[in-house]
Amino acid sequence: MSLRQLALDALLVDSPDAKCAAVQSIVRSGEPPIGAAPDVRQPIPAALPGRPARPLLVPPAQLAQRPVNTLAGRAALIHALAHIELNAVNLALDIVWRFDGMPADFYRDWIGVAAEEACHFQLLHEHLQATGFAYGDFPAHNGLWEMAEKTRGDLLARLALVPRTLEARGLDAAPLIRDKLQRAGDDKGAAILEIILREEIGHVAIGNRWYRWLCGQRGLDPLACYSELAQRHRAPRLRGPFNLEARRAAGFDEHELAALTAR
Protein backbone atom coordinates (compact mmCIF):
# COMPACT_ATOMS: atom_id res chain seq x y z
CA MET A 1 0.00 0.00 0.00
CA SER A 2 1.26 3.50 -0.78
CA LEU A 3 2.48 5.96 1.84
CA ARG A 4 -0.25 8.44 0.96
CA GLN A 5 -3.00 5.84 1.28
CA LEU A 6 -1.59 4.72 4.64
CA ALA A 7 -1.60 8.36 5.78
CA LEU A 8 -5.27 8.75 4.86
CA ASP A 9 -6.16 5.48 6.59
CA ALA A 10 -4.44 6.65 9.79
CA LEU A 11 -6.16 10.04 9.57
CA LEU A 12 -9.55 8.34 9.51
CA VAL A 13 -8.87 6.37 12.71
CA ASP A 14 -11.04 7.56 15.63
CA SER A 15 -9.03 6.28 18.61
CA PRO A 16 -6.04 8.50 19.47
CA ASP A 17 -3.97 5.53 20.66
CA ALA A 18 -4.80 3.51 17.53
CA LYS A 19 -4.04 6.52 15.33
CA CYS A 20 -0.62 6.98 16.94
CA ALA A 21 0.08 3.27 16.60
CA ALA A 22 -0.89 3.39 12.90
CA VAL A 23 1.50 6.29 12.28
CA GLN A 24 4.36 4.54 14.02
CA SER A 25 3.62 1.38 12.04
CA ILE A 26 4.01 3.35 8.79
CA VAL A 27 7.44 4.55 9.91
CA ARG A 28 8.53 1.08 11.04
CA SER A 29 7.47 -0.42 7.70
CA GLY A 30 10.42 1.25 5.98
CA GLU A 31 9.81 3.27 2.85
CA PRO A 32 6.54 2.30 1.14
CA PRO A 33 6.05 3.83 -2.32
CA ILE A 34 4.74 7.39 -2.14
CA GLY A 35 1.87 6.70 -4.55
CA ALA A 36 -0.67 9.00 -6.11
CA ALA A 37 -3.30 10.82 -4.09
CA PRO A 38 -5.87 8.33 -2.78
CA ASP A 39 -9.12 8.16 -4.74
CA VAL A 40 -11.37 9.84 -2.19
CA ARG A 41 -15.08 10.30 -2.80
CA GLN A 42 -17.81 11.73 -0.60
CA PRO A 43 -18.65 11.31 2.21
CA ILE A 44 -15.09 10.48 3.30
CA PRO A 45 -13.72 14.06 3.31
CA ALA A 46 -16.52 15.14 5.66
CA ALA A 47 -15.33 12.48 8.12
CA LEU A 48 -11.83 13.94 8.41
CA PRO A 49 -10.16 13.67 10.77
CA GLY A 50 -11.23 10.60 12.70
CA ARG A 51 -11.96 11.67 16.28
CA PRO A 52 -13.05 10.02 19.52
CA ALA A 53 -16.45 10.98 20.97
CA ARG A 54 -14.65 13.10 23.58
CA PRO A 55 -13.38 15.75 24.22
CA LEU A 56 -16.25 18.14 23.68
CA LEU A 57 -15.12 20.80 21.17
CA VAL A 58 -16.08 24.36 22.10
CA PRO A 59 -15.02 27.88 21.03
CA PRO A 60 -11.74 28.94 22.67
CA ALA A 61 -13.50 31.64 24.72
CA GLN A 62 -15.52 28.94 26.49
CA LEU A 63 -12.45 27.17 27.86
CA ALA A 64 -12.02 27.86 31.56
CA GLN A 65 -8.67 29.15 32.79
CA ARG A 66 -7.54 27.01 35.74
CA PRO A 67 -4.64 27.75 38.11
CA VAL A 68 -1.74 25.34 37.61
CA ASN A 69 -1.03 25.21 41.34
CA THR A 70 -3.96 22.77 41.62
CA LEU A 71 -3.96 19.18 40.35
CA ALA A 72 -7.03 19.79 38.18
CA GLY A 73 -5.46 22.94 36.77
CA ARG A 74 -2.25 21.15 35.79
CA ALA A 75 -4.28 18.28 34.33
CA ALA A 76 -6.34 20.72 32.24
CA LEU A 77 -3.15 22.30 30.89
CA ILE A 78 -1.60 18.93 30.03
CA HIS A 79 -4.89 17.92 28.39
CA ALA A 80 -4.84 21.07 26.23
CA LEU A 81 -1.28 20.32 25.14
CA ALA A 82 -2.16 16.70 24.34
CA HIS A 83 -5.07 17.92 22.22
CA ILE A 84 -2.73 20.21 20.28
CA GLU A 85 -0.32 17.35 19.65
CA LEU A 86 -3.09 15.04 18.44
CA ASN A 87 -4.24 17.77 16.08
CA ALA A 88 -0.65 18.05 14.87
CA VAL A 89 -0.67 14.32 14.05
CA ASN A 90 -3.81 14.85 11.98
CA LEU A 91 -2.34 17.90 10.22
CA ALA A 92 0.81 16.04 9.21
CA LEU A 93 -1.18 13.07 7.92
CA ASP A 94 -3.53 15.37 6.02
CA ILE A 95 -0.73 17.19 4.20
CA VAL A 96 0.70 13.84 3.07
CA TRP A 97 -2.43 12.42 1.48
CA ARG A 98 -4.09 15.62 0.27
CA PHE A 99 -1.54 17.47 -1.86
CA ASP A 100 -0.16 16.20 -5.15
CA GLY A 101 2.94 16.97 -7.14
CA MET A 102 5.59 17.38 -4.46
CA PRO A 103 8.99 15.62 -4.29
CA ALA A 104 9.15 12.30 -2.45
CA ASP A 105 11.12 13.89 0.40
CA PHE A 106 8.15 16.17 1.13
CA TYR A 107 5.91 13.21 1.97
CA ARG A 108 8.63 11.43 3.94
CA ASP A 109 9.34 14.59 5.94
CA TRP A 110 5.71 14.96 7.01
CA ILE A 111 5.26 11.29 7.91
CA GLY A 112 8.30 11.73 10.16
CA VAL A 113 6.64 14.78 11.71
CA ALA A 114 3.44 12.78 12.28
CA ALA A 115 5.42 10.08 14.10
CA GLU A 116 7.11 12.59 16.42
CA GLU A 117 3.80 14.34 17.12
CA ALA A 118 2.31 10.95 17.99
CA CYS A 119 5.13 10.42 20.50
CA HIS A 120 4.41 13.84 22.00
CA PHE A 121 0.73 12.97 22.41
CA GLN A 122 1.60 9.68 24.07
CA LEU A 123 4.04 11.30 26.50
CA LEU A 124 1.47 13.90 27.49
CA HIS A 125 -1.39 11.41 27.73
CA GLU A 126 0.64 9.10 29.97
CA HIS A 127 1.49 12.07 32.19
CA LEU A 128 -2.16 13.13 32.21
CA GLN A 129 -3.25 9.64 33.26
CA ALA A 130 -0.75 9.76 36.12
CA THR A 131 -2.75 12.70 37.51
CA GLY A 132 -5.95 10.62 37.48
CA PHE A 133 -7.40 12.13 34.31
CA ALA A 134 -7.51 11.00 30.68
CA TYR A 135 -7.77 12.55 27.24
CA GLY A 136 -11.37 13.64 26.76
CA ASP A 137 -11.98 14.62 30.38
CA PHE A 138 -11.79 18.35 29.59
CA PRO A 139 -13.30 20.34 26.70
CA ALA A 140 -11.01 21.51 23.90
CA HIS A 141 -11.14 23.76 20.83
CA ASN A 142 -10.69 23.02 17.13
CA GLY A 143 -8.61 26.00 15.98
CA LEU A 144 -5.78 24.09 14.34
CA TRP A 145 -8.07 21.93 12.24
CA GLU A 146 -10.21 24.91 11.27
CA MET A 147 -7.15 26.44 9.58
CA ALA A 148 -6.53 23.11 7.85
CA GLU A 149 -10.06 23.34 6.44
CA LYS A 150 -9.48 26.92 5.25
CA THR A 151 -6.32 25.88 3.40
CA ARG A 152 -7.44 22.49 2.09
CA GLY A 153 -7.23 23.68 -1.53
CA ASP A 154 -3.87 25.49 -1.41
CA LEU A 155 -0.66 23.85 -0.26
CA LEU A 156 1.23 27.14 -0.13
CA ALA A 157 -1.37 28.58 2.24
CA ARG A 158 -1.29 25.41 4.34
CA LEU A 159 2.48 25.64 4.74
CA ALA A 160 2.37 29.36 5.48
CA LEU A 161 -0.42 29.30 8.02
CA VAL A 162 -0.18 25.96 9.82
CA PRO A 163 3.49 25.04 10.48
CA ARG A 164 4.84 28.59 10.00
CA THR A 165 2.09 30.36 11.97
CA LEU A 166 -0.01 28.23 14.31
CA GLU A 167 2.61 25.60 15.11
CA ALA A 168 5.37 28.21 15.31
CA ARG A 169 3.38 29.83 18.11
CA GLY A 170 4.29 26.75 20.10
CA LEU A 171 7.94 27.78 19.92
CA ASP A 172 6.99 30.99 21.72
CA ALA A 173 4.65 29.37 24.23
CA ALA A 174 6.58 26.21 25.17
CA PRO A 175 9.26 27.85 27.36
CA LEU A 176 6.60 29.83 29.26
CA ILE A 177 4.51 26.70 29.87
CA ARG A 178 7.59 24.67 30.80
CA ASP A 179 8.59 27.25 33.39
CA LYS A 180 5.03 27.47 34.72
CA LEU A 181 4.94 23.70 35.26
CA GLN A 182 8.38 23.78 36.85
CA ARG A 183 7.27 26.43 39.34
CA ALA A 184 4.20 24.33 40.15
CA GLY A 185 6.45 21.37 40.99
CA ASP A 186 5.61 19.36 37.88
CA ASP A 187 9.13 18.37 36.85
CA LYS A 188 7.89 15.57 34.60
CA GLY A 189 5.59 17.89 32.68
CA ALA A 190 8.39 20.44 32.32
CA ALA A 191 10.73 17.76 30.94
CA ILE A 192 8.12 16.73 28.36
CA LEU A 193 7.76 20.36 27.25
CA GLU A 194 11.52 20.53 26.77
CA ILE A 195 11.39 17.50 24.46
CA ILE A 196 8.46 18.97 22.53
CA LEU A 197 10.17 22.34 22.08
CA ARG A 198 13.34 20.73 20.73
CA GLU A 199 11.47 18.59 18.21
CA GLU A 200 8.95 21.27 17.22
CA ILE A 201 11.85 23.44 16.05
CA GLY A 202 12.53 20.72 13.51
CA HIS A 203 8.87 20.53 12.47
CA VAL A 204 8.62 24.27 11.88
CA ALA A 205 11.91 24.09 9.96
CA ILE A 206 10.33 21.53 7.63
CA GLY A 207 7.41 23.89 7.10
CA ASN A 208 9.82 26.72 6.31
CA ARG A 209 11.84 24.57 3.94
CA TRP A 210 8.89 23.50 1.83
CA TYR A 211 7.19 26.90 1.95
CA ARG A 212 10.31 28.51 0.50
CA TRP A 213 10.74 25.72 -2.02
CA LEU A 214 7.18 26.20 -3.28
CA CYS A 215 7.58 29.99 -3.38
CA GLY A 216 10.68 29.45 -5.49
CA GLN A 217 8.80 27.15 -7.85
CA ARG A 218 6.09 29.77 -8.29
CA GLY A 219 8.38 32.79 -8.49
CA LEU A 220 6.98 34.37 -5.34
CA ASP A 221 8.65 36.47 -2.66
CA PRO A 222 8.21 34.50 0.61
CA LEU A 223 7.76 37.53 2.85
CA ALA A 224 5.22 39.35 0.66
CA CYS A 225 3.40 36.10 -0.10
CA TYR A 226 3.08 35.27 3.60
CA SER A 227 1.50 38.63 4.36
CA GLU A 228 -1.03 38.21 1.56
CA LEU A 229 -1.96 34.66 2.60
CA ALA A 230 -2.33 35.62 6.27
CA GLN A 231 -4.70 38.42 5.32
CA ARG A 232 -6.69 36.34 2.83
CA HIS A 233 -7.28 33.48 5.27
CA ARG A 234 -7.69 35.69 8.35
CA ALA A 235 -4.83 34.09 10.24
CA PRO A 236 -4.65 35.05 13.92
CA ARG A 237 -2.59 38.13 14.69
CA LEU A 238 0.64 37.04 16.35
CA ARG A 239 1.63 38.79 19.56
CA GLY A 240 4.82 38.52 21.59
CA PRO A 241 6.81 37.64 23.44
CA PHE A 242 8.50 35.73 20.63
CA ASN A 243 11.13 33.02 21.07
CA LEU A 244 13.46 34.52 18.48
CA GLU A 245 16.24 32.03 19.20
CA ALA A 246 13.95 29.06 18.50
CA ARG A 247 12.46 30.76 15.45
CA ARG A 248 15.94 31.35 14.02
CA ALA A 249 16.80 27.70 14.64
CA ALA A 250 13.58 26.77 12.80
CA GLY A 251 14.68 28.72 9.72
CA PHE A 252 13.00 32.12 10.00
CA ASP A 253 15.34 34.77 8.58
CA GLU A 254 16.00 38.22 9.99
CA HIS A 255 13.63 39.94 7.55
CA GLU A 256 10.79 37.67 8.67
CA LEU A 257 11.59 38.20 12.34
CA ALA A 258 11.73 41.96 11.87
CA ALA A 259 8.32 41.90 10.19
CA LEU A 260 6.97 39.70 12.99
CA THR A 261 8.15 41.95 15.80
CA ALA A 262 7.01 45.06 13.94
CA ARG A 263 3.47 43.67 13.78
Side-chain angles (χ1 to χ4, degrees):
M1 190 176 292
S2 75
L3 178 66
R4 297 180 70 191
Q5 182 64 58
L6 290 167
L8 176 59
D9 291 346
L11 185 61
L12 288 164
V13 172
D14 292 335
S15 161
D17 290 335
K19 187 190 297 285
C20 292
V23 171
Q24 289 157 353
S25 177
I26 296 171
V27 173
R28 286 196 303 270
S29 69
E31 291 195 1
I34 303 300
D39 182 14
V40 178
R41 297 181 175 88
Q42 296 290 346
I44 292 178
L48 295 180
R51 297 182 186 276
R54 300 167 66 237
L56 175 67
L57 298 179
V58 301
Q62 292 185 18
L63 294 175
Q65 296 295 315
R66 302 167 186 259
V68 295
N69 59 350
T70 67
L71 180 62
R74 288 194 298 280
L77 176 56
I78 296 299
H79 184 279
L81 296 171
H83 182 69
I84 290 169
E85 296 301 324
L86 187 61
N87 267 282
V89 176
N90 287 332
L91 290 164
L93 293 171
D94 189 73
I95 207 170
V96 170
W97 86 263
R98 185 179 296 278
F99 295 104
D100 271 327
M102 294 295 285
D105 282 350
F106 172 87
Y107 302 103
R108 296 192 183 105
D109 277 350
W110 288 109
I111 281 293
V113 169
E116 289 188 349
E117 303 287 20
C119 288
H120 297 170
F121 172 80
Q122 290 170 320
L123 285 170
L124 289 164
H125 194 205
E126 288 170 5
H127 187 47
L128 179 63
Q129 289 173 314
T131 70
F133 295 89
Y135 182 66
D137 285 352
F138 299 91
H141 71 80
N142 200 31
L144 277 171
W145 190 257
E146 287 170 359
M147 184 57 76
E149 288 289 343
K150 288 182 183 180
T151 59
R152 63 187 299 170
D154 183 350
L155 176 57
L156 188 63
R158 173 69 65 87
L159 291 167
L161 302 179
V162 175
R164 299 184 78 249
T165 300
L166 298 184
E167 295 189 75
R169 292 174 77 177
L171 305 183
D172 305 322
L176 304 176
I177 298 170
R178 176 200 60 203
D179 294 347
K180 184 182 292 188
L181 290 171
Q182 194 88 57
R183 288 193 298 271
D186 187 353
D187 293 339
K188 176 69 172 178
I192 293 171
L193 262 292
E194 190 64 37
I195 293 169
I196 290 173
L197 174 60
R198 183 172 64 247
E199 295 185 349
E200 291 294 345
I201 289 172
H203 301 172
V204 176
I206 288 170
N208 269 322
R209 172 192 173 192
W210 289 110
Y211 172 74
R212 292 205 180 92
W213 184 90
L214 205 54
C215 283
Q217 293 291 304
R218 299 183 184 183
L220 300 170
D221 173 71
L223 189 58
C225 183
Y226 175 81
S227 180
E228 190 276 327
L229 289 169
Q231 184 175 13
R232 184 197 312 169
H233 294 282
R234 299 189 299 278
R237 184 177 179 86
L238 300 181
R239 294 179 173 84
F242 299 110
N243 187 345
L244 298 181
E245 180 182 359
R247 284 177 174 267
R248 287 188 182 98
F252 288 97
D253 65 29
E254 294 306 315
H255 296 294
E256 290 171 314
L257 295 177
L260 178 69
T261 53
R263 285 194 297 270

